[in-house]
Amino acid sequence: MALNYIWLALFAIGMLIGILRLIFMGDAQTLPAMMDSTFQMSMQAFEMTLGLTGTLTLWMGILRVGEVSGLIERLSKLLSPVLTKFFPDIPKNHPALGSIFMNISANMLGLDNAATPVGLKAMQELQSINKQKDTASNSMIMFLTLNTSGLTIIPVSIMAYRAKAGAADPTDVFIPLLLTTMCSTLVGLIVVSLYQKINLFQRNILLMFGIIAALVAGLFTAIHGMTEAQMQNFCRVLTSLLILGAIFMFLFSGFRKKINVYDAFIDGAKGGFNVAVSLIPYVVAILAAVGVFKASGALDMLQTGVKNAVEACGLNSDFVAALPVALMKPLNGSGARGMMLECFSSYGPDSFVGHLASVLQGSTDTTFYVLAIYFGSVGIKKYRYSVVCGLLADLAGILAAIFFSYFFFS
């Protein structure tokens, strides 16, 4: 329900501002620009979803092999001592636990192309045990919040964009970005746990946090002292090994169990195509609203208002120039990426604004887009408190990004 109000608000605010600009400023270009934006964003949404079809088809096929071979069930048994603490409503050894783990792992390693299909598969499995088919369950909300909080250990794409923009050291955002995304994820976990009355001070949960901290420390130790070229090459090789290794593991498990791997893959791949097609209306809806809001000038007005308020309080307003990235990120990933590149172009990738824009881009995921496609893929209409949890995680990510950017780059 909250997403419905936000979706309508984006349209309403955009239309109101466009009409006011026409009446009081004689601006005859805003309304046509808003109209053009609805068509452009709708086409972009369709192309984005269509582009997702191939990836979904591949990974849904791979996951089907894992199901038939029993690999996902074995992963569920291995991980159930930890994941069942966060997802107490999921039956022990349920295959959803394996898919959730793979999705979270892919997000942490920046493997977006692998994370989304696995996440959609996890949502289908969570829906199979959901008693109210049109309402988000507690497990779904916890899973979605972990996704929207955007915990990432290796920000491969952001470092690549910084390198392309000519940054002296594209990897210098690694530590502040890691700290920022950990803050947003922690806040998201705490908020959902409070709603669901989950005790985070259990032994297995604390052990998991300790293992993650050790992995982060090990990764930082591994890349410490590397040159820019070495860092980029290391990340590309590590990413390739992880993706190809996962594919090989699933296919080998099918071969080892002597199942017809090809038929199992085709069976799952057909489902991937159907899921991709079903997502189109949801993605078109949210991006069309974003297009109207942005083209109306509402985003620019909001940025100006924040800057004036900050300066009126006698505070440093340097961060406001990168704020469009933060405001666009929950709505549209491509739009936020465009804002980041615009900051690079206007201020330089090595400026304070360029660094902050990079950290903001990696601080959280696209909350409304994730909610739209994940819930839309299984027909969920009542989101309960999922939007609140996602936006609080976003807010924590924005504040942490600003703080750590001032600390490291000011």
Coordinates of all heavy atoms in Angstrom, one line a residue, residues 204-280:
N204 N 24.7 -18.0 16.8 CA 24.9 -18.2 15.4 C 24.9 -16.9 14.6 O 25.7 -16.8 13.6 CB 23.8 -19.1 14.9 CG 23.9 -20.5 15.4 OD1 25.0 -21.0 15.8 ND2 22.8 -21.3 15.3
I205 N 24.1 -15.9 15.0 CA 24.1 -14.7 14.3 C 25.4 -13.9 14.5 O 26.0 -13.4 13.6 CB 22.9 -13.8 14.7 CG1 21.6 -14.5 14.3 CG2 23.0 -12.4 14.2 CD1 20.3 -13.7 14.7
L206 N 25.8 -13.9 15.8 CA 27.1 -13.2 16.1 C 28.3 -13.9 15.4 O 29.2 -13.2 14.9 CB 27.3 -13.2 17.6 CG 26.3 -12.4 18.4 CD1 26.6 -12.5 19.9 CD2 26.4 -10.9 18.0
L207 N 28.2 -15.2 15.3 CA 29.3 -16.0 14.6 C 29.3 -15.6 13.1 O 30.4 -15.4 12.5 CB 29.1 -17.5 14.8 CG 30.1 -18.4 14.0 CD1 31.5 -18.2 14.6 CD2 29.6 -19.8 14.2
M208 N 28.1 -15.4 12.5 CA 28.0 -15.0 11.1 C 28.6 -13.7 10.9 O 29.4 -13.4 9.9 CB 26.6 -15.0 10.6 CG 26.4 -14.7 9.2 SD 24.7 -14.2 8.8 CE 24.7 -12.6 9.6
F209 N 28.3 -12.7 11.8 CA 28.9 -11.4 11.6 C 30.4 -11.4 11.8 O 31.1 -10.7 11.1 CB 28.3 -10.4 12.7 CG 26.9 -10.0 12.4 CD1 26.0 -9.9 13.5 CD2 26.5 -9.7 11.2 CE1 24.7 -9.5 13.2 CE2 25.2 -9.3 10.9 CZ 24.3 -9.2 11.9
G210 N 30.9 -12.3 12.7 CA 32.3 -12.4 12.8 C 33.0 -13.0 11.6 O 34.1 -12.5 11.2
I211 N 32.4 -13.9 10.9 CA 32.9 -14.5 9.7 C 32.9 -13.5 8.6 O 33.9 -13.4 7.8 CB 32.1 -15.8 9.3 CG1 32.3 -16.9 10.3 CG2 32.5 -16.2 7.9 CD1 31.4 -18.1 10.0
I212 N 31.9 -12.7 8.5 CA 31.8 -11.7 7.4 C 32.9 -10.6 7.7 O 33.6 -10.2 6.7 CB 30.4 -11.0 7.4 CG1 29.4 -11.9 6.9 CG2 30.5 -9.7 6.5 CD1 28.0 -11.4 7.0
A213 N 33.1 -10.2 8.9 CA 34.2 -9.3 9.3 C 35.6 -9.8 8.9 O 36.4 -9.1 8.4 CB 34.1 -8.9 10.7
A214 N 35.7 -11.1 9.2 CA 37.0 -11.8 8.8 C 37.2 -11.8 7.3 O 38.4 -11.6 6.8 CB 37.1 -13.2 9.4
L215 N 36.2 -12.1 6.6 CA 36.3 -12.1 5.1 C 36.6 -10.8 4.5 O 37.5 -10.6 3.6 CB 35.0 -12.7 4.5 CG 34.7 -14.2 4.7 CD1 33.3 -14.5 4.2 CD2 35.8 -15.0 4.0
V216 N 36.0 -9.7 5.1 CA 36.2 -8.4 4.7 C 37.7 -8.0 4.9 O 38.4 -7.4 4.1 CB 35.3 -7.4 5.3 CG1 35.7 -5.9 5.1 CG2 33.9 -7.6 4.9
A217 N 38.2 -8.3 6.2 CA 39.5 -8.0 6.5 C 40.5 -8.8 5.6 O 41.5 -8.2 5.2 CB 39.8 -8.4 8.0
G218 N 40.2 -10.0 5.3 CA 41.1 -10.8 4.4 C 41.1 -10.3 3.0 O 42.2 -10.2 2.4
L219 N 40.0 -9.8 2.5 CA 39.9 -9.2 1.2 C 40.7 -7.9 1.1 O 41.5 -7.7 0.2 CB 38.5 -9.0 0.8 CG 38.3 -8.3 -0.6 CD1 38.8 -9.2 -1.7 CD2 36.8 -8.0 -0.8
F220 N 40.5 -7.1 2.1 CA 41.3 -5.8 2.2 C 42.8 -6.1 2.3 O 43.6 -5.4 1.6 CB 40.8 -5.0 3.4 CG 41.6 -3.7 3.5 CD1 41.4 -2.7 2.6 CD2 42.4 -3.5 4.6 CE1 42.1 -1.5 2.7 CE2 43.1 -2.3 4.7 CZ 42.9 -1.3 3.8
T221 N 43.2 -7.1 3.0 CA 44.6 -7.4 3.1 C 45.1 -7.9 1.8 O 46.2 -7.6 1.4 CB 44.8 -8.6 4.1 OG1 44.3 -8.1 5.4 CG2 46.3 -8.9 4.3
A222 N 44.3 -8.6 1.0 CA 44.7 -9.2 -0.3 C 44.9 -8.0 -1.3 O 45.9 -8.1 -2.1 CB 43.7 -10.2 -0.8
I223 N 44.1 -7.0 -1.3 CA 44.2 -6.0 -2.3 C 45.1 -4.8 -1.8 O 45.4 -3.9 -2.7 CB 42.8 -5.4 -2.7 CG1 42.2 -4.7 -1.5 CG2 41.9 -6.5 -3.2 CD1 40.9 -4.0 -1.8
H224 N 45.4 -4.8 -0.6 CA 46.2 -3.7 0.0 C 47.6 -3.6 -0.8 O 48.3 -4.6 -0.9 CB 46.5 -3.9 1.5 CG 47.2 -2.7 2.1 ND1 46.7 -1.5 2.2 CD2 48.5 -2.7 2.6 CE1 47.6 -0.7 2.7 NE2 48.7 -1.4 3.0
G225 N 47.9 -2.5 -1.3 CA 49.2 -2.3 -2.0 C 49.1 -2.6 -3.4 O 50.1 -2.4 -4.1
M226 N 48.0 -3.0 -4.0 CA 47.9 -3.3 -5.4 C 47.8 -2.0 -6.2 O 47.3 -1.0 -5.7 CB 46.6 -4.1 -5.7 CG 46.7 -5.6 -5.3 SD 45.2 -6.4 -5.9 CE 45.6 -8.1 -5.3
T227 N 48.3 -2.0 -7.4 CA 48.1 -0.8 -8.3 C 46.7 -0.8 -8.8 O 46.0 -1.8 -8.6 CB 49.1 -0.9 -9.4 OG1 48.8 -2.0 -10.2 CG2 50.6 -0.9 -8.9
E228 N 46.3 0.3 -9.5 CA 45.0 0.4 -10.1 C 44.7 -0.8 -11.0 O 43.7 -1.5 -11.0 CB 44.9 1.7 -10.8 CG 43.6 1.8 -11.7 CD 43.7 3.0 -12.6 OE1 44.3 4.0 -12.2 OE2 43.0 2.9 -13.6
A229 N 45.7 -1.1 -11.9 CA 45.5 -2.1 -12.9 C 45.4 -3.5 -12.2 O 44.6 -4.3 -12.6 CB 46.7 -2.1 -13.9
Q230 N 46.2 -3.7 -11.2 CA 46.2 -5.0 -10.5 C 44.9 -5.2 -9.8 O 44.3 -6.3 -9.8 CB 47.4 -5.0 -9.5 CG 48.7 -5.2 -10.1 CD 49.8 -5.0 -9.1 OE1 49.7 -4.4 -8.1 NE2 51.0 -5.7 -9.4
M231 N 44.4 -4.1 -9.2 CA 43.1 -4.2 -8.5 C 42.0 -4.5 -9.4 O 41.1 -5.4 -9.1 CB 42.8 -2.8 -7.8 CG 41.5 -2.8 -7.1 SD 41.4 -3.9 -5.7 CE 39.8 -3.4 -5.0
Q232 N 41.9 -3.8 -10.5 CA 40.8 -4.1 -11.5 C 40.9 -5.5 -12.0 O 39.9 -6.2 -12.2 CB 41.0 -3.1 -12.7 CG 40.6 -1.7 -12.3 CD 39.2 -1.5 -11.9 OE1 38.3 -2.0 -12.6 NE2 38.9 -0.7 -10.9
N233 N 42.1 -6.0 -12.3 CA 42.3 -7.3 -12.8 C 41.9 -8.4 -11.8 O 41.3 -9.4 -12.1 CB 43.7 -7.5 -13.3 CG 43.9 -8.9 -14.0 OD1 43.3 -9.1 -15.0 ND2 44.8 -9.7 -13.4
F234 N 42.3 -8.1 -10.5 CA 42.0 -9.0 -9.5 C 40.4 -9.2 -9.3 O 39.9 -10.3 -9.2 CB 42.6 -8.5 -8.1 CG 42.2 -9.3 -6.9 CD1 42.8 -10.5 -6.6 CD2 41.1 -8.8 -6.1 CE1 42.4 -11.2 -5.5 CE2 40.8 -9.5 -5.0 CZ 41.4 -10.7 -4.7
C235 N 39.7 -8.1 -9.4 CA 38.3 -8.1 -9.2 C 37.6 -8.8 -10.4 O 36.7 -9.6 -10.2 CB 37.7 -6.7 -9.1 SG 38.1 -5.8 -7.5
R236 N 38.1 -8.6 -11.6 CA 37.5 -9.2 -12.7 C 37.7 -10.7 -12.7 O 36.8 -11.5 -13.0 CB 38.1 -8.7 -14.0 CG 37.6 -7.3 -14.4 CD 37.9 -7.0 -15.9 NE 39.4 -6.8 -16.0 CZ 40.0 -5.6 -15.9 NH1 39.3 -4.5 -15.7 NH2 41.3 -5.5 -16.1
V237 N 39.0 -11.2 -12.3 CA 39.3 -12.6 -12.2 C 38.4 -13.2 -11.1 O 37.9 -14.3 -11.3 CB 40.8 -12.8 -12.0 CG1 41.1 -14.3 -11.7 CG2 41.6 -12.4 -13.2
L238 N 38.4 -12.6 -10.0 CA 37.6 -13.1 -8.8 C 36.1 -13.3 -9.2 O 35.5 -14.3 -8.9 CB 37.7 -12.2 -7.6 CG 37.0 -12.7 -6.4 CD1 37.4 -14.1 -5.9 CD2 37.2 -11.7 -5.2
T239 N 35.6 -12.3 -9.9 CA 34.2 -12.3 -10.3 C 33.9 -13.5 -11.3 O 33.0 -14.2 -11.1 CB 33.7 -11.0 -10.9 OG1 33.9 -9.9 -10.0 CG2 32.3 -11.0 -11.4
S240 N 34.8 -13.6 -12.2 CA 34.7 -14.7 -13.2 C 34.8 -16.0 -12.6 O 34.0 -16.9 -12.9 CB 35.8 -14.5 -14.3 OG 35.7 -13.3 -15.0
L241 N 35.7 -16.2 -11.7 CA 35.9 -17.5 -11.0 C 34.6 -17.8 -10.2 O 34.2 -19.0 -10.2 CB 37.1 -17.4 -10.0 CG 38.5 -17.6 -10.7 CD1 39.5 -17.3 -9.7 CD2 38.6 -18.9 -11.3
L242 N 34.0 -16.9 -9.5 CA 32.8 -17.1 -8.7 C 31.6 -17.5 -9.6 O 30.9 -18.5 -9.3 CB 32.5 -15.9 -7.9 CG 33.5 -15.6 -6.8 CD1 33.2 -14.2 -6.2 CD2 33.4 -16.6 -5.7
I243 N 31.4 -16.8 -10.7 CA 30.3 -17.1 -11.5 C 30.5 -18.4 -12.2 O 29.6 -19.3 -12.2 CB 30.1 -16.0 -12.6 CG1 29.6 -14.7 -11.9 CG2 29.0 -16.4 -13.6 CD1 29.4 -13.5 -12.8
L244 N 31.6 -18.6 -12.9 CA 31.9 -19.9 -13.6 C 31.9 -21.1 -12.6 O 31.5 -22.2 -12.9 CB 33.2 -19.8 -14.4 CG 33.2 -18.8 -15.5 CD1 34.5 -18.7 -16.2 CD2 32.1 -19.2 -16.6
G245 N 32.5 -20.8 -11.4 CA 32.6 -21.9 -10.4 C 31.2 -22.3 -10.0 O 30.9 -23.5 -9.8
A246 N 30.3 -21.3 -9.8 CA 28.9 -21.7 -9.4 C 28.2 -22.5 -10.5 O 27.5 -23.5 -10.2 CB 28.1 -20.4 -9.1
I247 N 28.4 -22.1 -11.7 CA 27.7 -22.8 -12.8 C 28.3 -24.3 -12.9 O 27.5 -25.2 -13.0 CB 28.0 -22.1 -14.2 CG1 27.2 -20.8 -14.2 CG2 27.6 -23.0 -15.4 CD1 27.5 -19.9 -15.4
F248 N 29.6 -24.4 -12.8 CA 30.2 -25.7 -12.8 C 29.7 -26.6 -11.7 O 29.4 -27.8 -11.9 CB 31.7 -25.6 -12.8 CG 32.4 -26.9 -12.7 CD1 32.6 -27.7 -13.9 CD2 32.9 -27.4 -11.5 CE1 33.2 -28.9 -13.8 CE2 33.6 -28.6 -11.4 CZ 33.7 -29.4 -12.6
M249 N 29.6 -26.0 -10.5 CA 29.2 -26.7 -9.3 C 27.8 -27.3 -9.5 O 27.5 -28.5 -9.2 CB 29.2 -25.8 -8.1 CG 28.8 -26.5 -6.8 SD 28.9 -25.4 -5.3 CE 27.7 -24.2 -5.7
F250 N 26.9 -26.5 -10.1 CA 25.5 -27.0 -10.3 C 25.5 -28.0 -11.4 O 24.8 -29.1 -11.2 CB 24.6 -25.8 -10.7 CG 24.1 -25.0 -9.5 CD1 24.9 -24.1 -8.8 CD2 22.8 -25.2 -9.0 CE1 24.4 -23.4 -7.7 CE2 22.3 -24.6 -7.9 CZ 23.1 -23.6 -7.3
L251 N 26.2 -27.8 -12.5 CA 26.1 -28.8 -13.5 C 26.8 -30.1 -13.1 O 26.3 -31.2 -13.4 CB 26.8 -28.2 -14.8 CG 26.2 -27.0 -15.4 CD1 26.9 -26.6 -16.6 CD2 24.7 -27.3 -15.8
F252 N 27.9 -30.0 -12.4 CA 28.6 -31.2 -11.9 C 27.7 -32.0 -10.9 O 27.7 -33.2 -10.9 CB 29.9 -30.9 -11.3 CG 30.7 -32.0 -10.8 CD1 31.3 -32.9 -11.7 CD2 30.7 -32.3 -9.4 CE1 32.0 -34.0 -11.2 CE2 31.4 -33.4 -9.0 CZ 32.1 -34.3 -9.9
S253 N 27.0 -31.3 -10.1 CA 26.1 -32.0 -9.1 C 25.0 -32.8 -9.9 O 24.7 -33.9 -9.5 CB 25.4 -31.0 -8.2 OG 24.5 -30.2 -8.9
G254 N 24.5 -32.2 -11.0 CA 23.6 -33.0 -11.8 C 24.2 -34.2 -12.5 O 23.6 -35.3 -12.5
F255 N 25.4 -34.0 -13.0 CA 26.1 -35.1 -13.6 C 26.4 -36.2 -12.6 O 26.3 -37.4 -12.9 CB 27.4 -34.6 -14.3 CG 28.3 -35.7 -14.8 CD1 28.0 -36.3 -16.0 CD2 29.4 -36.1 -14.1 CE1 28.9 -37.3 -16.5 CE2 30.3 -37.1 -14.6 CZ 30.0 -37.7 -15.8
R256 N 26.8 -35.8 -11.4 CA 27.2 -36.8 -10.4 C 25.9 -37.6 -9.9 O 26.1 -38.8 -9.6 CB 27.7 -36.0 -9.2 CG 28.3 -36.9 -8.1 CD 29.1 -36.0 -7.1 NE 29.5 -36.8 -5.9 CZ 28.7 -36.9 -4.8 NH1 27.6 -36.3 -4.7 NH2 29.2 -37.6 -3.8
K257 N 24.8 -37.0 -10.0 CA 23.5 -37.7 -9.6 C 22.9 -38.4 -10.8 O 21.9 -39.0 -10.6 CB 22.5 -36.7 -9.0 CG 22.9 -36.1 -7.6 CD 22.9 -37.2 -6.6 CE 23.2 -36.7 -5.2 NZ 23.1 -37.7 -4.2
K258 N 23.6 -38.3 -11.9 CA 23.1 -39.1 -13.1 C 21.7 -38.7 -13.6 O 20.9 -39.5 -14.0 CB 23.2 -40.6 -12.9 CG 24.7 -41.1 -12.6 CD 24.7 -42.6 -12.4 CE 26.1 -43.0 -12.1 NZ 26.2 -44.5 -11.9
I259 N 21.4 -37.4 -13.5 CA 20.2 -36.9 -14.0 C 20.4 -36.4 -15.4 O 21.5 -36.2 -15.9 CB 19.6 -35.8 -13.1 CG1 20.5 -34.5 -13.2 CG2 19.4 -36.2 -11.7 CD1 19.9 -33.3 -12.5
N260 N 19.3 -36.1 -16.2 CA 19.4 -35.5 -17.5 C 19.6 -34.0 -17.3 O 18.6 -33.3 -17.1 CB 18.2 -35.8 -18.3 CG 18.3 -35.4 -19.8 OD1 18.9 -34.4 -20.1 ND2 17.8 -36.3 -20.7
V261 N 20.8 -33.6 -17.3 CA 21.1 -32.2 -16.9 C 20.5 -31.2 -18.0 O 19.9 -30.2 -17.6 CB 22.7 -32.0 -16.9 CG1 23.0 -30.5 -16.6 CG2 23.3 -32.8 -15.8
Y262 N 20.6 -31.6 -19.2 CA 20.1 -30.7 -20.3 C 18.6 -30.5 -20.1 O 18.1 -29.4 -20.2 CB 20.4 -31.3 -21.7 CG 19.9 -30.5 -22.8 CD1 20.6 -29.3 -23.2 CD2 18.8 -30.8 -23.5 CE1 20.2 -28.6 -24.3 CE2 18.3 -30.1 -24.6 CZ 19.0 -28.9 -25.0 OH 18.5 -28.2 -26.0
D263 N 17.8 -31.6 -20.0 CA 16.4 -31.5 -19.8 C 16.0 -30.7 -18.6 O 15.0 -29.9 -18.6 CB 15.7 -32.9 -19.7 CG 15.7 -33.6 -21.1 OD1 16.0 -32.9 -22.1 OD2 15.4 -34.8 -21.1
A264 N 16.7 -30.9 -17.5 CA 16.4 -30.1 -16.3 C 16.7 -28.6 -16.5 O 15.9 -27.7 -16.1 CB 17.3 -30.6 -15.1
F265 N 17.8 -28.3 -17.2 CA 18.1 -26.9 -17.5 C 17.0 -26.3 -18.4 O 16.5 -25.2 -18.1 CB 19.4 -26.8 -18.3 CG 19.8 -25.4 -18.7 CD1 20.5 -24.6 -17.8 CD2 19.4 -24.9 -20.0 CE1 20.8 -23.3 -18.2 CE2 19.7 -23.7 -20.3 CZ 20.4 -22.8 -19.5
I266 N 16.5 -26.9 -19.4 CA 15.5 -26.4 -20.3 C 14.2 -26.2 -19.5 O 13.5 -25.2 -19.7 CB 15.3 -27.4 -21.5 CG1 16.5 -27.4 -22.4 CG2 14.1 -26.9 -22.3 CD1 16.9 -26.1 -23.0
D267 N 13.9 -27.1 -18.6 CA 12.7 -27.0 -17.8 C 12.7 -25.7 -17.0 O 11.7 -25.0 -16.9 CB 12.5 -28.2 -17.0 CG 11.2 -28.2 -16.2 OD1 10.2 -27.9 -16.7 OD2 11.3 -28.5 -14.9
G268 N 13.8 -25.5 -16.3 CA 13.9 -24.3 -15.5 C 14.0 -23.0 -16.3 O 13.5 -22.0 -16.0
A269 N 14.7 -23.1 -17.5 CA 14.9 -21.9 -18.4 C 13.5 -21.4 -18.9 O 13.3 -20.2 -19.0 CB 15.8 -22.2 -19.5
K270 N 12.6 -22.3 -19.2 CA 11.3 -21.9 -19.6 C 10.6 -21.0 -18.5 O 9.9 -20.0 -18.9 CB 10.4 -23.1 -19.9 CG 10.8 -23.9 -21.1 CD 10.0 -25.1 -21.3 CE 10.4 -25.9 -22.5 NZ 9.6 -27.2 -22.6
G271 N 10.8 -21.4 -17.3 CA 10.2 -20.6 -16.2 C 10.8 -19.2 -16.1 O 10.2 -18.2 -15.8
G272 N 12.1 -19.1 -16.4 CA 12.8 -17.8 -16.4 C 12.2 -16.8 -17.4 O 12.1 -15.6 -17.1
F273 N 11.9 -17.3 -18.6 CA 11.3 -16.4 -19.6 C 10.0 -15.9 -19.1 O 9.6 -14.7 -19.3 CB 11.2 -17.2 -20.9 CG 10.5 -16.4 -22.0 CD1 11.3 -15.5 -22.8 CD2 9.2 -16.6 -22.3 CE1 10.7 -14.8 -23.8 CE2 8.6 -15.8 -23.3 CZ 9.4 -14.9 -24.0
N274 N 9.2 -16.8 -18.6 CA 7.8 -16.4 -18.1 C 7.9 -15.3 -17.0 O 7.1 -14.4 -16.9 CB 7.0 -17.6 -17.6 CG 6.7 -18.6 -18.7 OD1 6.6 -18.2 -19.9 ND2 6.6 -19.9 -18.4
V275 N 8.9 -15.5 -16.1 CA 9.1 -14.5 -15.0 C 9.4 -13.2 -15.6 O 8.9 -12.1 -15.1 CB 10.2 -15.0 -14.0 CG1 10.5 -13.9 -13.0 CG2 9.7 -16.2 -13.2
A276 N 10.4 -13.1 -16.5 CA 10.8 -11.9 -17.1 C 9.6 -11.1 -17.8 O 9.5 -9.9 -17.6 CB 11.9 -12.1 -18.2
V277 N 8.8 -11.8 -18.5 CA 7.6 -11.2 -19.1 C 6.7 -10.6 -18.1 O 6.1 -9.5 -18.2 CB 6.9 -12.2 -20.0 CG1 5.6 -11.6 -20.6 CG2 7.8 -12.6 -21.2
S278 N 6.5 -11.4 -17.0 CA 5.5 -10.9 -16.0 C 6.0 -9.7 -15.2 O 5.2 -9.0 -14.6 CB 5.3 -12.0 -14.9 OG 6.5 -12.3 -14.1
L279 N 7.3 -9.3 -15.3 CA 7.8 -8.2 -14.6 C 7.6 -6.9 -15.3 O 7.7 -5.8 -14.7 CB 9.4 -8.3 -14.4 CG 9.8 -9.5 -13.5 CD1 11.3 -9.5 -13.5 CD2 9.3 -9.3 -12.1
I280 N 7.3 -6.9 -16.7 CA 7.3 -5.7 -17.5 C 6.3 -4.7 -16.9 O 6.7 -3.5 -16.8 CB 6.9 -6.1 -18.9 CG1 8.1 -6.9 -19.6 CG2 6.7 -4.8 -19.8 CD1 7.8 -7.4 -21.0

